[in-house]
Amino acid sequence: MTLKTRFAPSPTGYLHIGGVRTALFSWLHARRHGGSFVLRIEDTDRERSTQVSIDAILEGMKWLGLSWDEGPYYQTDRFDRYKELANKLLADDKAYRCYCSKEELDRIRTEQVARGENPRYDGRCRKRTEPCGDVSPVIRFHIPETGHVEIDDLVRGKVTYENDMLDDLVIMRPDGTPTFHFGVVIDDADMGITHVIRGDDHLNNTARHVHIIEALGFTRPVYAHLPMILGADGSRLSKRHGAVNVLEYREEGYLPEAVLNYLVRLGWSHGDQELFSLDEMIELFDVSDVNASASKFNPEKLTWLNQQYIMAADPIDLMPQFLEQMGKVGVDPSKGPAPQRVIEAYRERAETLRELAASVRYLYEDEVPLDEKSAKKNLRPVIKDALEALSDEFATIDTWSAANIHAAMEKVANKRELKFGKIGQPLRVAVTGGPISPPIDITVELVGKERTLARLGKAVVYIDARIAAG
């Protein structure tokens, strides 16, 4: 039998970090064992499911490179199958119609809580054969009232649930649509899913699902329940921790490889190794090695990883995403140096491609505002003569290159018995507007000869104004 895993998101929201990790672990398990990976959209909640969410899920999966071998399947295309098997369970006396109203169910739970009991459905409709009032019934699965169910989980080990702690769950709603519990069991069986990898918030659901599986005569899949991801403060992961639409990371200039590398380390490790190529993840990942303890989401670590990937990537591979980010920050790549050359020079100073694009604005624009603090510190009257001499030397350069720029700067510095940095930093502030950039000769080369001369002229005017002001 071919090993087969699946990722089955509900399109009631966007694809977020927790969902991506589940998808990644399922995808890796299938790829490592030469199996298949299925994408299934569990859209039976018709009130909350939206096409916008479906599109976001599909786009997020494609951006991350988590390609699927089958699907996407949609549960709304399979309603006839769910109804067929619900009727079979009714005929086999393994399910029944429940006519309890919402008010009645609320009263049952309130009374149970008052008695100190675990609130759950008490099975009062199990023997009811006639309709009750005008309530449209649901269909409930009859959990065995004695005994227990054991789950051999790849992450949690053996987990046992006593049947008397499990209530009769609803499998079909009054409108004839299946609940998650019913649809997922049937889909996994019909699609040949051999390994179900999902969050451990589903562990108690799995106990109920096993009973449905056995009642329908299906083969039980192997389960692996992943620990929760918590925020850095130890609370449940939320938007304020970074549990946003994964496509927002694309918008901010994160690389998909970095996102996957970060997520694979949430609960899994291979020695002290931090950086993993996708091929290494496939070769080394084993879901049974996942730690059963919850992991904490650390956005700073994700950003650090992203920077490592930016620095290690082939600049050509970064070009499409970098050009996209340049457009988002309003920089026209045709009005300055070749973007590939800019990536090579600037990427060690950027944590994201968005930050990289924003930091090189002065290479593509004629007007660059001076950072007042940096200008006051570096553009002083004492340096005016050296800047004017630099301008004269630069004007004589025929081949505008970092080497020739460096030679001109050394000539001016030596003639005035100045250390290289004494003219380098004022020059940097003059041509970039601020105190930070790559090596100054490379920076000036990328700024270009015409813009460099113009900005040096404005720096001298700034110094003259300081002199005039006393």
Side-chain angles (χ1 to χ4, degrees), residues 192-212:
I193 304 301
T194 63
H195 290 70
V196 172
I197 301 172
R198 58 189 179 190
D200 63 6
D201 54 327
H202 286 295
L203 189 54
N204 62 346
N205 290 334
T206 298
R208 297 172 169 87
H209 296 173
V210 166
H211 284 299
I212 301 175

Side-chain angles (χ1 to χ4, degrees), residues 216-346:
L216 291 172
F218 294 154
T219 300
R220 187 195 300 198
V222 178
Y223 290 97
H225 288 88
L226 308 177
M228 289 181 63
I229 302 176
L230 304 176
D233 58 3
S235 62
R236 188 179 182 88
L237 190 65
S238 64
K239 287 185 178 180
R240 64 188 175 90
H241 299 117
V244 295
N245 179 1
V246 72
L247 292 175
E248 291 186 31
Y249 287 102
R250 181 184 68 177
E251 292 298 305
E252 291 299 319
Y254 286 81
L255 303 182
E257 299 87 350
V259 174
L260 294 179
N261 192 152
Y262 178 72
L263 291 178
V264 80
R265 293 281 285 107
L266 284 182
W268 175 84
S269 64
H270 180 72
D272 295 327
Q273 186 172 341
E274 293 283 359
L275 298 174
F276 295 85
S277 68
L278 205 54
D279 286 342
E280 286 178 312
M281 292 184 207
I282 293 171
E283 177 186 354
L284 299 172
F285 178 81
D286 190 326
V287 71
S288 62
D289 291 335
V290 173
N291 194 308
S293 301
S295 302
K296 290 186 178 181
F297 181 77
N298 185 338
E300 289 78 18
K301 185 64 174 291
L302 171 58
T303 300
W304 175 83
L305 270 173
N306 196 61
Q307 186 176 35
Q308 305 309 304
Y309 272 84
I310 290 175
M311 290 191 295
D314 187 327
I316 294 177
D317 294 336
L318 295 178
M319 280 287 288
Q321 297 167 83
F322 180 57
L323 291 174
E324 182 180 351
Q325 292 296 335
M326 291 180 79
K328 289 177 180 177
V329 299
V331 174
D332 185 346
S334 69
K335 294 184 177 181
Q340 182 180 333
R341 180 77 176 91
V342 173
I343 293 173
E344 294 169 350
Y346 282 77

